[in-house]
Amino acid sequence: MLGSVGGLGLHLVRTGVVVAGCLVAAGPAAAAADVATVFSTDVAPILMRHCVGCHRPGEIAPMSLLTYREARPWARSIQRVVSSGRMPPWFANPEHGKWANDARLSPEEIETIVAWVEAGAEPGDPAQMPEPPRFRDGWQLGEPDYVIELPPVTVPATGPDLAPTQLVRLDIPERRWVRAVEFQPGDRTVNHHQIAFMGGFGGMGAGNSQERQVGGERRGKAPGVDVKIFAVWAAGAAPTVFPDGAGRWVDPGTLLLLNQHYHPNGDSERTDRTRIGLFFGEGPLEVEVEAILAGRMDFTIPAGAPDHRIVAHHELGADSRIVSYFAHMHMRGRAMSFTAVYPDGSREILLDVPEYDFDWQLFYYPEAPKVLPAGSVVEVVARYDNSAANPHNPDPTLDIGFGFHSTDEMMVGIFELIEVASDESAESDATGGE
């Protein structure tokens, strides 16, 4: 999860971002001598950097953008979605934090695409096309040390999304630490995301009446989620690669619970069989990366509620550097925020996702990981729209609680952290967390 998230480009999915047959063709081509912006030298490099990780054969996006011939029919649609900011997908509020994996196009890149389309979407000189990124077949990180074979999942051509839950145990002879994790979906055209938990969900929702100081108020500690996140994969994501000497422990017989999500592709029945490759580290584990799940199971979202709030807290027992965030809800989710409540009661928004989109399960990696002192509380606030105004709401007449299916709901705020020495925390305080 500390690895970069790649390929989050123009991924046009079932949400209506693009509907085949409803596209408007580009206007008449301008005379070649008058065209200042062309595909080969101006637009293709942008698509190669931001889009073709998803927009290539065998990936989840509905069309390839590797060549002019493939991209040209979608010119007006590409212009529309990049101009509106709907593509590439990115949902972090820019007012709070800077992100190492910010997927947004720059204003200059957007202007280039618009100019290309308005000038007639000309091809340019094919000889000047950039080389496409090299995508390795099979395992991207090489042969894993241990491979988890998940049972097959058959996805009908049409119908509702599927959200199966599978349990697997690790058959390893001794305790090892994992330096990298790679998911290998069997069929990327239907596989949306997978979350691997360690130890199942036995502790989720256990009540705790302990009170503590949060933001200057005395309040009850929210019933929490006593599970460990092992790894997460979502469409367009790169393998998880931890920094040198950092990783996560696994033991013989470790139980992994896989929460899976599949989209029917609308064309044909498909069968996915996902594999998960584990890469073990050598020598001592110097730094353990812990994934914290701040969430709840004990909630009910009332029927018709347009803006229902659910709050969870996690108190840090040691000075910690937060290195990633991951917001997860289902089809009624509308927004999620992560806020640091410091021991003195002051507050700082760490991540704000004001327009959550269930079709995009993104990690957010801060450019400068924030160091929070021991005793700080990470407050996660999730908001839901269970009204008829939500176009993705399966049934606004129902009260909704926790569940694994897309038509149920989840409240899952994940953040990864590394405990740090007090001197590093003091240095961070002196530099404002930078």
Side-chain angles (χ1 to χ4, degrees):
M1 280 176 269
L2 286 169
S4 64
V5 177
L8 294 177
L10 296 170
H11 178 186
L12 312 178
V13 290
R14 65 175 178 83
T15 54
V17 172
V18 170
V19 180
C22 296
L23 301 176
V24 179
D34 298 330
V35 174
T37 305
V38 297
F39 186 82
S40 59
T41 55
D42 301 303
V43 174
I46 298 173
L47 301 184
M48 299 302 175
R49 285 194 298 270
H50 296 282
C51 309
V52 300
C54 289
H55 282 270
R56 56 189 170 93
E59 284 294 332
I60 195 168
M63 83 291 286
S64 174
L65 299 177
L66 284 169
T67 68
Y68 174 77
R69 183 176 181 179
E70 292 170 316
R72 176 60 180 82
W74 303 92
R76 285 289 180 191
S77 176
I78 293 171
Q79 178 191 21
R80 195 158 49 242
V81 296
V82 301
S83 297
S84 67
R86 296 170 72 181
M87 291 289 149
W90 186 254
F91 306 102
N93 184 342
E95 296 180 6
H96 304 288
K98 296 182 179 180
W99 306 96
N101 62 320
D102 191 332
R104 294 175 300 168
L105 300 184
S106 69
E108 294 75 19
E109 289 172 322
I110 295 172
E111 290 173 6
T112 296
I113 291 174
V114 171
W116 171 63
V117 176
E118 293 303 319
E122 291 294 314
D125 184 356
Q128 294 184 301
M129 278 284 294
E131 286 289 327
R134 299 178 67 90
F135 297 105
R136 181 174 178 172
D137 294 331
W139 297 105
Q140 303 300 298
L141 302 180
E143 193 63 28
D145 297 304
Y146 184 86
V147 177
I148 301 168
E149 299 271 359
L150 296 180
V153 176
T154 298
V155 183
T158 60
D161 288 2
L162 302 183
T165 298
Q166 305 205 47
L167 292 171
V168 296
R169 287 191 181 276
L170 300 187
D171 184 16
I172 56 177
E174 60 184 355
R175 194 181 201 212
R176 300 294 302 269
W177 62 274
V178 176
R179 63 176 179 84
V181 181
E182 180 176 344
F183 284 76
Q184 191 180 76
D187 191 328
R188 293 175 183 268
T189 67
V190 295
N191 198 329
H192 182 269
H193 77 262
Q194 313 228 357
I195 304 177
F197 300 90
M198 297 179 69
F201 277 83
M204 290 187 74
N208 190 328
S209 60
Q210 177 186 353
E211 290 191 344
R212 64 173 184 274
Q213 195 81 10
V214 178
E217 302 178 24
R218 298 295 296 182
R219 65 179 69 175
K221 183 176 179 180
V225 180
D226 186 20
V227 296
K228 291 185 177 180
I229 303 296
F230 179 67
V232 176
W233 175 86
T240 296
V241 180
F242 297 110
D244 291 344
R248 194 161 285 152
W249 286 109
V250 290
D251 294 295
T254 291
L255 179 68
L256 296 182
L257 181 147
L258 273 296
N259 173 226
Q260 303 174 295
H261 177 203
Y262 292 93
H263 281 318
N265 65 15
D267 295 325
S268 61
E269 179 181 283
R270 308 301 288 261
T271 297
D272 174 85
R273 183 159 190 162
T274 293
R275 301 196 299 167
I276 306 173
L278 307 185
F279 299 82
F280 297 136
E282 299 296 334
L285 174 62
E286 299 174 11
V287 177
E288 184 170 6
V289 181
E290 185 176 3
I292 304 297
L293 195 161
R296 301 182 67 131
M297 292 179 67
D298 62 328
F299 62 81
T300 299
I301 303 171
D307 190 13
H308 184 76
R309 296 173 78 255
I310 303 174
V311 183
H313 302 96
H314 180 87
E315 184 170 351
L316 302 179
D319 296 350
S320 302
R321 184 168 72 248
I322 301 183
V323 296
S324 74
Y325 304 87
F326 182 80
H328 180 70
M329 299 176 284
H330 286 178
M331 301 173 79
R332 296 168 176 85
R334 62 176 295 179
M336 184 176 284
S337 63
F338 294 70
T339 300
V341 184
Y342 293 102
D344 65 0
S346 62
R347 302 170 66 88
E348 179 183 8
I349 296 175
L350 304 173
L351 169 67
D352 178 33
V353 180
E355 295 184 12
Y356 175 81
D357 188 333
F358 177 53
D359 282 308
W360 291 100
Q361 304 293 317
L362 304 186
F363 269 91
Y364 299 89
Y365 299 93
E367 281 188 358
K370 177 69 65 176
V371 176
L372 304 184
S376 298
V377 173
V378 176
E379 177 184 86
V380 179
V381 178
R383 294 165 54 198
Y384 300 83
D385 183 354
N386 195 19
S387 74
N390 177 0
H392 308 299
N393 192 345
D395 189 343
T397 67
L398 299 178
D399 293 345
I400 296 298
F402 176 89
F404 291 102
H405 293 281
S406 301
T407 52
D408 301 317
E409 266 306 333
M410 284 190 176
M411 191 282 186
V412 174
I414 298 172
F415 56 97
E416 290 183 304
L417 59 80
I418 298 172
E419 293 188 1
V420 300
S422 57
D423 55 346
E424 180 176 347
S425 178
E427 181 181 348
S428 175
D429 290 341
T431 59
E434 302 297 321

